[in-house]
């Protein structure tokens, strides 16, 4: 199943609609992000969030690169568009630049980024919004905003703070230095090296689909909600999410399948 109406982002489905392949689709421009692309990403994540049959999202770039970041040439031709995109949405706490990336973190399913070629600036911040990131060893990663006299402002400050030490985050954001995929893994920006990141993402997807969609969703929620909280608040969240799972239909299905040593057949996800 395929959806091709978006000009700069495409969404293809596999696994009977359980897997959404979201691809940046400007290979001739190294998949750089226009204001229109940001709007598309926001729309796509909001739509995917409502899909109870969705199990995993794989995020990648068409061609031989992930994303070279914001297309400043295109964006600067529309000062009013930048102003509109920069204005925050009070009910979400993000503006368009931030929601285009953080919308993937809001999804109740795992998001896996497959990175090759360039992963720069806004493209890097998009990759950091994924739950897991495969990268080729020779990919180029950079918090490139420093080159333009800016800071990472597409949710990157928060993402960096949850992935690397403060000293590393400051160095990367202050210098904009280019690092390889291998070094990105060593620093904690990327999760794992892979010669073929999309193939690695699909392999991980097969493991995830074998688990209860509600358990996977609640696990993502548990870590995202508590990563910077104190132990007492974390324990309370654990109890609440676990109590909901204990009475869930998909938990029963997982338990019965495990007892029979059979492959479980799950109902659509209940967790939003």
């Amino acid at each position: 199943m395929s959806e091709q109406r978006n000009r700069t982002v495409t969404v293809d489905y596999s696994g009977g609609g359980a897997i959404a392949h979201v691809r940046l689709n400007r290979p001739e421009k190294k998949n750089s992000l226009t204001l229109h692309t940001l709007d598309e990403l926001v729309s796509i994540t909001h739509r995917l969030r409502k899909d109870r049959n969705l199990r995993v999202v794989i995020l990648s770039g068409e061609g031989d690169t992930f994303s070279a970041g914001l297309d400043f040439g295109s964006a600067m031709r529309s000062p009013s568009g930048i102003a509109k995109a920069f204005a925050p949405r009070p009910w979400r706490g993000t503006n368009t630049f931030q929601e285009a990336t953080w919308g993937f973190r809001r999804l109740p399913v795992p998001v896996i980024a497959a990175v090759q070629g360039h992963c720069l600036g806004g493209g890097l911040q998009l990759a950091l919004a994924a739950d897991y990131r495969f990268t080729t060893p020779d990919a180029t990663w950079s918090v490139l905003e420093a080159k333009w006299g800016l800071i990472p402002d597409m949710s990157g400050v928060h993402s960096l703070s949850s992935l690397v030490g403060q000293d590393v985050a400051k160095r990367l954001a202050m210098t904009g230095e280019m690092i390889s995929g291998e070094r990105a893994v060593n620093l904690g920006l990327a999760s794992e090296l892979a010669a073929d990141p999309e193939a690695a993402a699909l392999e991980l997807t097969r493991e995830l689909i074998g688990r209860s969609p509600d358990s996977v969703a609640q696990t993502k929620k548990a870590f995202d909600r508590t990563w910077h909280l104190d132990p007492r608040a974390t324990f309370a969240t654990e109890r609440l999410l676990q109590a909901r799972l204990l009475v869930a239909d998909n938990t029963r299905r997982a338990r019965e399948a495990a007892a029979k040593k059979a492959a479980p057949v799950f109902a659509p996800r209940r967790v939003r």
Side-chain angles (χ1 to χ4, degrees), residues 137-168:
D138 60 351
T140 303
W141 292 63
S142 174
V143 186
L144 197 61
E145 286 79 8
K147 178 180 178 180
W148 311 108
L150 301 171
I151 65 170
D153 68 338
M154 291 175 58
S155 77
V157 170
H158 185 80
S159 294
L160 284 166
S161 73
S162 67
L163 293 171
V164 301
Q166 189 176 113
D167 55 343
V168 173

Side-chain angles (χ1 to χ4, degrees), residues 57-109:
V57 172
I58 298 176
L59 182 59
S60 64
E62 195 66 53
D64 61 0
T65 202
F66 184 73
S67 175
L70 186 66
D71 185 338
F72 275 95
S74 171
M76 294 305 292
R77 288 196 292 270
S78 178
S80 62
I82 293 178
K84 180 181 178 182
F86 199 76
R89 300 170 171 85
W91 60 93
R92 287 195 178 274
T94 55
N95 62 21
T96 297
F97 291 99
Q98 295 161 334
E99 188 67 16
T101 59
W102 201 248
F104 287 96
R105 188 65 70 88
R106 294 186 198 277
L107 294 180
V109 300

Side-chain angles (χ1 to χ4, degrees), residues 118-140:
H118 294 86
C119 185
L120 310 176
L124 179 145
Q125 295 178 79
L126 180 60
L128 296 189
D131 300 290
Y132 205 84
R133 291 160 297 284
F134 289 102
T135 180
T136 58
D138 60 351
T140 303

Side-chain angles (χ1 to χ4, degrees), residues 230-248:
D230 62 77
R232 186 182 183 92
T234 300
F235 299 155
T237 300
E238 283 180 4
R239 292 193 299 270
L240 175 63
L241 299 181
Q242 190 76 306
R244 292 172 179 171
L245 285 174
L246 287 171
V247 296

